[in-house]
Amino acid sequence: SYSPPAITDVTVDDTAALMATAGAETLVLTGTNFGPIGHFIAVFPVTARYGMSGTSSVVFGATACSVVTADTRVECVTAAGVGADLTFAVTIGAQESAESAVLLSYIAP
């Protein structure tokens, strides 16, 4: 079996900027154990979620996720939303990362 994925950094469009409330921006997750390039829907689906730490009440699902740099970089599209100090998790196949230590927020409405 493989080691679970781990997130070391989270950015939007390769900057540390805030996320737009309208969504549709490129979410970049950097880390380890993300696997080979691609999205491998049938074999190893790549998904990402984010929300308030330790709660399932406010959870956003990023879309169109794929590994773009083998093992170290996943890109997705952000969902429309609001919130501050959000944590992120990525799932590769059946293995989900721990919540990210890096926090990101939406621009205040």
Side-chain angles (χ1 to χ4, degrees), residues 34-100:
F34 292 163
I37 293 173
H39 53 82
F40 303 98
I41 297 291
V43 182
F44 296 109
V46 179
T47 61
R49 64 172 177 80
Y50 53 102
M52 300 301 295
S53 179
T55 180
S56 59
S57 63
V58 180
V59 176
F60 302 98
T63 58
C65 297
S66 64
V67 177
V68 296
T69 303
D71 291 316
T72 62
R73 182 179 171 117
V74 167
E75 291 184 3
C76 305
V77 177
T78 59
V82 296
D85 298 330
L86 305 174
T87 63
F88 293 75
V90 63
T91 301
I92 309 292
Q95 295 195 78
E96 185 175 56
S97 70
E99 289 183 351
S100 64

